[in-house]
Amino acid sequence: MNKRRLGKSDLFVSEMGLGCMSLGHDENKAKEIIHAALDHGVNYLDTADLYDFGINEEFVGKAVKSVRKDVIIATKVGNKWHEDHSGWSWDASKQYIKQAVKDSLSRLQTDYIDLYQLHGGTMEDNHDEVIDTFKELIKEGVIRYYGISSIRPNVISSFASKTDLTSVMMQYSLLDRRPEEWMPLLKEHEISIIARGPIAKGILSDRALTQKAQSVLQKGYLTYTYEQLTELLSSLKEAFASRPIEELAFQYVLSHEEVGAVIPGASSCEQVLKNIKAVQSQKLSAEELQLLRSLTTANKYEQHRI
């Protein structure tokens, strides 16, 4: 699988990483899914301390322990579980990050994390303190690089202007083109996008729209109503009759050089292999890209503006 460089780092990640949030609670099945990805060229795994109260990190750590040097592990920090696991609160303080990274290292059974990401963020956070904390962790050798996971324009602009950020994780797909507004800024600062949600809750897949999440049936998706989604999917299938819609979804996101990797989730080995096939399919031509842009909406994130 082709690899791309994340930002200005020396991390060269497979064009498709594995978003580990959907691995589930069966350790053996999770291990099979991870190994299926690794066996087919994926070298980048993305998890978070939030997922399943840290169990997700444990599964990842156990699955890659014997091949740790060949795998790039990314995890996230900032969401602090309540003691009774009834919910979580946001904590971007230096004290919490310093403790959380130790906990993540223990669960992952590793001495270092390749990419450590702030799992959200607001303008009320002390961005300078967060950055200084990450830099200290780099000096200590427990993380190699750092990034943020956010779609908030003001947060992204703040971190991009203050530091040598490696990446910004954002939801990005044909149906959610909000990150495109910020690509020039990120390109200027040599910051890569890590794209999650490339098939938009399964809408951009070969399953019938009536089989999607109930929320999609009732509320649509972002700026699209259910009726508009039905019309769009019909138009895409008519215009690209020879290509599965998943190929269009992945290849559109990867057509942007600002994207370092796309990280779909997977709950089965079959899904991993299907995603890999789509990622390794024929790239879209300039004419095809233009057609996709004309059929979809260049939506913007209207909240949390500068």
Side-chain angles (χ1 to χ4, degrees):
M1 183 178 293
N2 294 331
K3 292 184 173 62
R4 298 188 181 190
R5 183 183 184 183
L6 283 186
K8 293 177 284 188
S9 76
D10 63 356
L11 300 177
F12 287 83
V13 300
S14 48
E15 288 187 324
M16 190 194 100
L18 178 63
C20 295
M21 186 174 68
S22 303
L23 289 177
H25 300 90
D26 184 324
E27 183 177 344
N28 289 328
K29 184 177 180 181
K31 185 177 181 180
E32 289 176 358
I33 293 171
I34 292 171
H35 284 179
L38 298 179
D39 290 344
H40 288 82
V42 172
N43 75 339
Y44 174 46
L45 304 178
D46 185 274
T47 180
D49 58 4
L50 179 68
Y51 302 159
D52 294 322
F53 317 111
I55 294 173
N56 196 269
E57 285 184 325
E58 292 181 6
F59 286 177
V60 170
K62 290 179 182 179
V64 305
K65 190 172 183 179
S66 63
V67 291
R68 175 66 184 95
K69 64 182 178 61
D70 300 319
V71 179
I72 294 171
I73 296 177
T75 192
K76 311 180 194 75
V77 64
N79 292 295
K80 185 178 181 179
W81 279 109
H82 299 158
E83 289 188 12
D84 62 0
H85 290 178
S86 61
W88 63 84
S89 58
W90 177 248
D91 192 341
S93 67
K94 178 177 183 177
Q95 180 180 6
Y96 178 66
I97 293 173
K98 286 274 193 171
Q99 181 57 52
V101 73
K102 293 178 183 178
D103 295 338
S104 286
L105 289 167
S106 176
R107 288 188 291 263
L108 289 165
Q109 299 184 46
T110 184
D111 297 326
Y112 65 94
I113 293 165
D114 297 285
L115 180 65
Y116 203 41
Q117 303 159 102
L118 188 67
H119 201 175
T122 71
M123 291 303 291
E124 285 68 49
D125 298 329
N126 187 332
H127 294 180
D128 291 328
E129 180 179 276
V130 172
I131 292 165
D132 289 343
T133 304
F134 283 152
K135 288 183 176 180
E136 286 182 19
L137 293 176
I138 290 175
K139 288 181 180 179
E140 293 169 11
V142 295
I143 70 171
R144 296 176 65 191
Y145 300 97
Y146 62 92
I148 62 172
S149 175
S150 179
I151 191 68
R152 295 185 174 191
N154 51 11
V155 173
I156 293 170
S157 296
S158 175
F159 275 94
S161 65
K162 288 175 178 289
T163 186
D164 53 348
L165 204 66
T166 291
S167 60
V168 177
M169 178 178 290
M170 291 188 272
Q171 181 172 289
Y172 183 39
S173 71
L174 269 171
L175 300 181
D176 185 357
R177 293 173 54 193
R178 293 176 295 180
E180 292 176 13
E181 179 184 4
W182 301 100
M183 286 182 178
L185 173 69
L186 297 178
K187 183 176 182 180
E188 176 188 348
H189 290 278
E190 297 182 74
I191 299 169
S192 291
I193 292 173
I194 298 171
R196 62 179 179 84
I199 58 173
K201 293 186 175 179
I203 298 171
L204 298 172
S205 70
D206 58 7
R207 289 187 295 134
L209 190 57
T210 53
Q211 298 175 1
K212 313 306 182 194
Q214 190 65 29
S215 62
V216 174
L217 299 178
Q218 295 175 347
K219 301 178 182 179
Y221 186 78
L222 295 179
T223 57
Y224 293 91
T225 65
Y226 176 78
E227 291 73 22
Q228 289 172 327
L229 289 172
T230 302
E231 293 176 7
L232 174 58
L233 292 176
S234 178
S235 297
L236 289 174
K237 290 177 181 178
E238 181 179 349
F240 298 90
S242 63
R243 301 193 71 166
I245 194 166
E246 290 94 342
E247 288 188 12
L248 303 179
F250 281 104
Q251 291 303 328
Y252 179 78
V253 172
L254 288 169
S255 70
H256 299 84
E257 62 180 357
E258 295 84 359
V259 172
V262 59
I263 53 164
S267 56
S268 69
C269 294
E270 292 76 17
Q271 193 173 4
V272 170
L273 299 182
K274 188 173 185 178
N275 290 340
I276 290 174
K277 183 178 180 181
V279 167
Q280 295 181 323
S281 65
Q282 184 178 351
K283 297 184 183 303
L284 296 167
S285 67
E287 292 75 18
E288 289 174 321
L289 286 170
Q290 183 56 43
L291 179 55
L292 287 171
R293 292 190 185 101
S294 69
L295 290 172
T296 57
T297 301
N299 34 25
K300 290 186 177 183
Y301 196 93
E302 299 298 343
Q303 297 176 305
H304 305 290
R305 308 293 296 192
I306 297 172

